[in-house]
């Protein structure tokens, strides 16, 4: 006979197994998919559907989750890869790829491991691209290499359900021996640029100095010319005034004789004069001197005593007013400075705003003093 206790235990075991089966079935039937994640579901070994974010119900023991795919943009850094350039130099290149899965089904069924596939495709494409460039082009053509890599990878990974967004080269490391040669080349290039800049600065300085000396010489010449003209006009005015005063005073032979006697001691006072002669007939000599003083062309009998051959008024003097002469000299000086500046500019040196002082008149120069007051007319 069967033991009733044994039957009860068996019933409890069966009930527990049934309860466990139900719990497992419920757990397998309910699936919660997080945000930015896609779940690929297979039914009886075949692709069934792709679950998006949210709560989903599956048929227990019929539906099975094949893979969970991250839909966010991912960043993968590949280890340095040795690449040979067209000039037979081995460079080490680090690559970083930014990609995103757009078709979870293709990413699961079209390739076994899409990350490994992207890495190997990047290495082979990088060798093809860099192999057609020399070292200098490789170091200066990062954007070109990135663009070619991205185009090839995006086209190849499209059927995998992966979109390559960016490809960046982290570093390009040439051999150590080449690094030393590159440093020497860069140092020589910078020394050459420094020498050229120094020569250009010396040339510009000499040109500016020559222009300044030219302007100063022109101004000095203008000043000397103005001074000579004014001195000549002043002497001419003084001679006319003396000539007019002598004739208006109606000097007679007695006055001239007196002046002659006053002058003789001065002539004898010079140490170089060892002897001097006195005419025997002083009166006749003074008379002849007085007649010759007026000049042979002047008719003394026709001119009344006390009048001047020049008339009532002196002829107009050409001596200009000092203020007017100073203004005219300044205008001519400014014109000469402008002419010197234009000559220096046309000599081939472009205008440089940094050294504008000295290239243009009136920039940085000492402001001109106010004109001196005009002397009185009676002076």
């Amino acid at each position: 006979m069967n033991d009733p206790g044994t039957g009860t235990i068996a019933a409890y075991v069966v009930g527990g197994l049934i309860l466990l089966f139900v719990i497992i079935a419920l757990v397998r039937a309910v699936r919660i998919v997080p945000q930015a994640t896609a779940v690929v579901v297979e039914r009886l070994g075949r692709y069934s559907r792709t679950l998006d974010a949210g709560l989903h119900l599956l048929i227990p023991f019929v539906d099975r989750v094949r893979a969970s795919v991250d839909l966010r943009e991912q960043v993968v850094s590949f280890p340095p890869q040795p690449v040979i350039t067209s000039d037979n130099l081995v460079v080490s290149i680090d690559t970083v790829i930014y990609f995103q899965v757009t078709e979870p089904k293709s990413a699961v069924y079209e390739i076994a491991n899409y990350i490994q596939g992207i890495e190997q495709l990047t290495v082979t494409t990088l060798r093809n691209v860099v192999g057609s460039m020399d070292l200098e082009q490789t170091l200066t053509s990062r954007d070109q290499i990135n663009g070619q890599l991205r185009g090839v990878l995006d086209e190849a990974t499209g059927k995998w359900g992966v979109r390559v967004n960016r490809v960046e080269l982290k570093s390009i490391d040439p051999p150590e021996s080449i690094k030393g040669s590159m440093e020497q080349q860069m140092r020589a290039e910078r020394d050459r640029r420094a020498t050229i800049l120094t020569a250009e600065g010396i040339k510009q300085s000499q040109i500016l100095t020559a222009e300044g000396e030219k302007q100063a010489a022109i101004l000095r010449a203008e000043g000397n010319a103005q001074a000579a003209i004014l001195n000549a006009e002043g002497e001419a005015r003084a001679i006319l005034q003396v000539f007019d005063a002598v004739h208006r005073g109606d000097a007679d032979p007695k006055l001239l004789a007196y002046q002659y006697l006053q002058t003789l001691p001065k002539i004898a006072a010079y140490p170089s004069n060892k002897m001097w002669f006195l005419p025997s007939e002083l009166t006749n000599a003074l008379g002849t001197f007085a007649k010759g003083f007026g000049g042979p062309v002047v008719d003394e009998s026709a001119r009344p005593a006390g009048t001047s051959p020049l008339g009532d008024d002196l002829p107009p003097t050409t001596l200009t007013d000092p203020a007017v002469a100073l203004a005219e000299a300044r205008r001519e000086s400014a014109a000469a400075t402008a002419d010197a500046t234009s000559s220096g500019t046309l000599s081939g040196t472009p205008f440089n705003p940094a050294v504008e002082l000295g290239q243009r008149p009136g920039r940085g120069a000492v402001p001109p003093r106010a004109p001196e007051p005009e002397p009185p007319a009676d002076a």
Side-chain angles (χ1 to χ4, degrees), residues 31-352:
R31 186 71 177 184
I32 299 176
V33 181
Q35 185 67 33
T37 304
V39 176
V40 178
V41 178
E42 293 180 348
R43 178 169 293 178
L44 299 178
R46 299 182 61 183
Y47 171 76
S48 174
R49 63 186 185 277
T50 301
L51 303 181
D52 297 330
L55 178 63
H56 300 275
L57 296 177
L58 304 178
I59 300 176
F61 306 104
V62 177
D63 293 339
R64 184 177 69 93
V65 175
R66 170 64 185 273
S68 179
V69 181
D70 191 352
L71 300 179
R72 296 173 298 178
E73 185 174 2
Q74 303 179 43
V75 182
V76 177
S77 177
F78 299 137
Q81 299 294 330
V83 180
I84 302 177
T85 60
S86 61
D87 48 357
N88 297 325
L89 292 177
V90 179
V91 295
S92 180
I93 301 178
D94 294 348
T95 311
V96 178
I97 296 180
Y98 299 80
F99 68 93
Q100 186 177 11
V101 178
T102 57
E103 294 291 337
K105 178 183 175 182
S106 300
V108 173
Y109 292 104
E110 296 295 336
I111 187 171
N113 189 339
Y114 57 85
I115 295 180
Q116 185 178 2
I118 293 174
E119 179 181 1
Q120 296 302 321
L121 184 60
T122 301
V123 172
T124 55
T125 306
L126 186 62
R127 289 177 178 175
N128 292 333
V129 173
V130 177
S132 61
M133 300 180 179
D134 56 14
L135 179 60
E136 186 175 357
Q137 292 178 347
T138 303
L139 295 176
T140 58
S141 303
R142 289 175 177 262
D143 294 338
Q144 180 180 355
I145 297 174
N146 293 338
Q148 294 183 9
L149 283 177
R150 183 181 178 279
V152 174
L153 291 176
D154 196 14
E155 180 181 358
T157 58
K159 63 180 181 179
W160 300 343
V162 178
R163 182 178 69 240
V164 177
N165 297 327
R166 292 178 62 86
V167 178
E168 297 292 340
L169 301 182
K170 291 175 59 178
S171 63
I172 301 177
D173 298 328
E176 294 297 331
S177 59
I178 301 300
K179 287 183 179 180
S181 300
M182 292 174 61
E183 291 178 358
Q184 293 178 1
Q185 180 181 1
M186 291 300 299
R187 188 180 301 109
E189 180 66 20
R190 294 185 181 277
D191 293 341
R192 183 183 68 84
R193 293 180 182 178
T195 304
I196 293 175
L197 292 178
T198 302
E200 288 292 336
I202 295 175
K203 175 183 176 182
Q204 187 70 14
S205 175
Q206 293 178 351
I207 291 175
L208 293 178
T209 302
E211 290 182 356
E213 293 177 353
K214 177 182 178 181
Q215 294 177 12
I218 291 175
L219 292 178
R220 284 193 296 267
E222 290 291 333
N224 294 334
Q226 291 293 331
I229 292 173
L230 294 178
N231 291 333
E233 291 181 353
E235 292 178 0
R237 178 67 180 180
I239 292 173
L240 290 177
Q241 287 182 349
V242 171
F243 184 77
D244 181 73
V246 169
H247 285 82
R248 289 184 184 277
D250 194 15
D252 55 1
K254 296 180 179 180
L255 178 60
L256 297 178
Y258 177 75
Q259 293 291 335
Y260 180 73
L261 293 177
Q262 293 290 329
T263 307
L264 289 178
K266 296 180 180 180
I267 297 175
Y270 289 100
S272 60
N273 293 333
K274 301 300 181 180
M275 63 179 61
W276 51 283
F277 299 91
L278 182 66
S280 58
E281 296 182 358
L282 181 60
T283 304
N284 295 333
L286 292 177
T288 303
F289 178 76
K291 290 180 181 180
F293 189 83
V297 298
V298 180
D299 188 3
E300 297 294 339
S301 60
R303 178 174 58 85
T307 60
S308 173
L310 301 177
D312 295 335
D313 297 325
L314 290 173
T317 179
T318 59
L319 185 62
T320 58
D321 184 72
V324 177
L326 182 60
E328 181 66 22
R330 288 176 178 172
R331 284 194 298 270
E332 293 180 357
S333 174
T337 303
D339 179 67
T341 302
S342 62
S343 299
T345 303
L346 294 176
S347 63
T349 303
F351 179 74
N352 187 0

Side-chain angles (χ1 to χ4, degrees), residues 1-23:
M1 294 181 63
N2 294 331
D3 187 1
T6 304
T8 303
I9 293 174
Y12 282 128
V13 172
V14 172
L17 293 176
I18 294 174
L19 180 61
L20 180 62
F21 176 79
V22 171
I23 292 174

